Amino acid sequence: KNQKQYYQGSLADLNRAIEIDPNNAYAYYKRGKIKVEKLKDTQGGLADYNRAIQLDPNAAVDAYISRGGLKTEKLNDPQGSLADYNRAIEIDPNYTIVYYLRGGLKMIELKDTQGGLTDFNRAIQLDPNAANAYYGRGILKAYDLNDPQGGLADLKRAIQLDPNYAIAYYVRGNIKAGKLNDPQGGLADYNRAIQLDPNNA
């Protein structure tokens, strides 16, 4: 079977689970994930996330997170994403990934530098091994706070935590070459990023 057939099979199983139990919020959430991420069905996935949240609004943290990401990536609705991430944090204030995602949303889409920094700091406080949070905070420090050395330190930490983090090498290369006048250091990081991810144009 090719991958699409595999995911269609998973979809059929989830459809059957929903037929048996129409109030199964988790099945709607999982079906939404497959529709969005594997079958590129944005509207179908959104409908399933909405249904999961409707069925279980106090436990559907992952559905809020996934719907929040979908609203920014596919529906051009960053404020809707923020509302979903805020709700996820209300339900589970210790869920590290939501702080990282909300921090990135604030930094990139909402131009809220301090809000982004606060969220990245909180993610790192909750999980000192959260490479993604160090990565996000490193970008914010280097470019939004004009602190390239602080950004470099955070990206170094992200790479220590995940030595295969290709995009972190790429961004660190940009900081070295563009902000710290270290073209050789930048070149070394670009080479490593290409080695890890040869298809990154």
Side-chain angles (χ1 to χ4, degrees):
K1 282 188 175 183
N2 64 32
Q3 276 196 329
K4 189 160 186 180
Q5 286 174 315
Y6 172 80
Y7 293 120
Q8 291 287 3
S10 298
L11 203 63
D13 286 345
L14 288 163
N15 289 342
R16 183 70 185 123
I18 288 166
E19 281 176 26
I20 294 166
D21 180 4
N23 296 317
N24 186 336
Y26 186 73
Y28 280 101
Y29 160 68
K30 290 301 286 184
R31 190 173 73 174
K33 289 278 282 184
I34 290 173
K35 286 179 178 177
V36 170
E37 295 177 7
K38 307 302 180 185
L39 303 175
K40 311 305 178 196
D41 176 8
T42 298
Q43 291 303 321
L46 181 64
D48 279 345
Y49 293 150
N50 289 344
R51 184 67 179 138
I53 289 165
Q54 183 183 27
L55 287 167
D56 195 354
N58 292 316
V61 177
D62 290 322
Y64 277 109
I65 293 169
S66 295
R67 191 175 73 174
L70 187 65
K71 284 179 177 177
T72 297
E73 292 164 23
K74 303 289 185 186
L75 301 173
N76 193 28
D77 180 13
Q79 290 296 337
S81 296
L82 183 64
D84 279 346
Y85 293 151
N86 289 346
R87 182 68 185 121
I89 286 169
E90 284 174 21
I91 296 167
D92 185 352
N94 297 314
Y95 202 166
T96 304
I97 187 68
V98 195
Y99 288 98
Y100 160 69
L101 292 170
R102 192 175 71 173
L105 176 74
K106 288 177 179 177
M107 174 177 69
I108 297 165
E109 299 290 338
L110 303 176
K111 310 304 179 198
D112 176 7
T113 300
Q114 286 304 318
L117 182 63
T118 298
D119 278 345
F120 290 134
N121 287 342
R122 180 64 178 143
I124 290 165
Q125 182 184 27
L126 288 168
D127 180 5
N129 296 318
N132 286 343
Y134 283 102
Y135 167 77
R137 192 175 73 175
I139 294 172
L140 187 146
K141 284 181 178 178
Y143 292 99
D144 294 344
L145 297 176
N146 197 27
D147 177 14
Q149 291 293 349
L152 211 62
D154 275 346
L155 287 159
K156 180 180 179 182
R157 182 67 183 135
I159 289 165
Q160 286 173 340
L161 291 166
D162 180 0
N164 297 317
Y165 205 160
I167 191 73
Y169 282 100
Y170 164 70
V171 172
R172 193 173 72 172
N174 285 344
I175 294 169
K176 287 178 179 177
K179 289 193 165 283
L180 297 175
N181 195 29
D182 178 11
Q184 288 303 317
L187 182 63
D189 277 344
Y190 293 145
N191 287 341
R192 182 64 179 142
I194 290 167
Q195 184 181 28
L196 288 167
D197 185 6
N199 295 319
N200 188 329

